[in-house]
Amino acid sequence: MDSLHAIGFYVSSGVSLAGALGVALLGGRDLRGASMAVVGVGLAGIYISLSAGLVAAVALVCYAGCALLVASPLYRPMASVVGPLWRQVGAVGAAGLLAVLVYSAFRGDFVHANFYGGAFGVANLGRLFFAHDALSTEALAVLVLVAFAGATAVWRVRERTR
Amino acid sequence: MTISLVAVFFVAAGLIAAGAFAAAWRRDVTAALAGVPLMFAGAGVAFAGVARFAAAGGPQLFGQEFAVVLAIAATALVALGLGIAGREGPR
């Protein structure tokens, strides 16, 4: 792995983490949506530097969709029923989670293996998706169908009862 | 300058923690929902990193496959959550 890949990885990581902090901290839907798009771009860069070109393309499309959904002015805000104390406990828990994950990554002893896949790997991934793991692909398709159909149904029922 | 699996895990940990923080900290539930794709992104980066650096024996692309599944599932869950939240009415 050459230096160019490494520079791309670290720059993309910075972009992705900056976007993630924007999603967590910025106010306003449009800013959150823009931050989500930045996360998608950084994520695609990370995947490309990890020789996962197809995953990068899919992530770019999916996170662009997420950004459009998050930035949309159409949905209604819902106030949380959780009090401020529990939200602060959750934030401290997220910091603790970060500490645990970083510590375990730092102290872990991982196997090192040579990678024989290509830079994009479409054919091999296609074989996995549609031959080896066809059932999981169908389950994912059902999940997407149920999610979008359920969202549409809930939306229409609320419109009718309004 | 090289990339290692530990560096990939650091980035994944940062994304997961940022997503958990957004989900816990936001007062608006629909804004907290935006933390879910961040956590899924962190998990996907970790899986792709394992596929790239540490998948010894067997098909090496399982991690990449799962990263694709996580990205699509994150989009579907955000769509479902915002659909349940409902549409903003005319004022």
Side-chain angles (χ1 to χ4, degrees):
Chain A
M1 183 160 291
D2 55 1
S3 294
L4 200 61
H5 267 97
I7 290 169
F9 172 78
Y10 289 114
V11 169
S12 302
S13 301
V15 169
S16 184
L17 288 173
L21 286 178
V23 171
L25 297 175
L26 289 179
R29 296 176 180 187
D30 45 354
L31 286 177
R32 271 200 305 275
S35 300
M36 186 66 82
V38 170
V39 170
V41 170
L43 204 58
I46 291 173
Y47 284 138
I48 285 174
S49 53
L50 292 177
S51 307
L54 181 69
V55 189
V58 172
L60 201 59
V61 171
C62 287
Y63 282 83
C66 277
L68 286 175
L69 285 169
V70 168
S72 168
L74 294 177
Y75 64 85
R76 196 175 42 177
M78 288 173 70
S80 172
V81 293
V82 179
L85 176 67
W86 285 109
R87 288 195 296 118
Q88 287 174 11
V89 169
V92 172
L97 177 68
L98 175 66
V100 167
L101 289 176
V102 166
Y103 180 76
S104 58
F106 190 68
R107 298 287 294 177
D109 189 17
F110 303 109
V111 173
H112 184 79
N114 291 323
F115 183 69
Y116 297 109
F120 220 75
V122 177
N124 292 331
L125 268 177
R127 249 175 245 125
L128 273 180
F129 269 120
F130 298 112
H132 192 278
D133 296 328
L135 199 61
S136 68
T137 306
E138 289 176 10
L140 179 68
V142 169
L143 169 72
V144 173
L145 182 68
V146 167
F148 283 103
T152 309
V154 169
W155 197 295
R156 286 183 69 91
V157 166
R158 290 233 174 119
E159 285 289 299
R160 207 169 290 159
T161 54
R162 183 172 286 163
Chain B
M1 184 183 278
T2 56
I3 310 172
S4 65
L5 185 59
V6 176
V8 174
F9 280 162
F10 279 2
V11 175
L15 285 171
I16 291 171
F21 175 73
W25 185 249
R26 287 286 181 179
R27 197 176 291 123
D28 180 9
V29 176
T30 51
L33 196 65
V36 173
L38 295 183
M39 289 191 274
F40 278 31
V45 167
F47 274 110
V50 169
R52 176 68 180 77
F53 293 110
Q60 289 189 310
L61 295 175
F62 273 148
Q64 292 188 19
E65 182 188 20
F66 208 75
V68 169
V69 169
L70 285 174
I72 295 172
T75 309
L77 290 177
V78 169
L80 183 60
L82 294 182
I84 289 172
R87 187 173 182 165
E88 185 96 75
R91 308 232 161 145

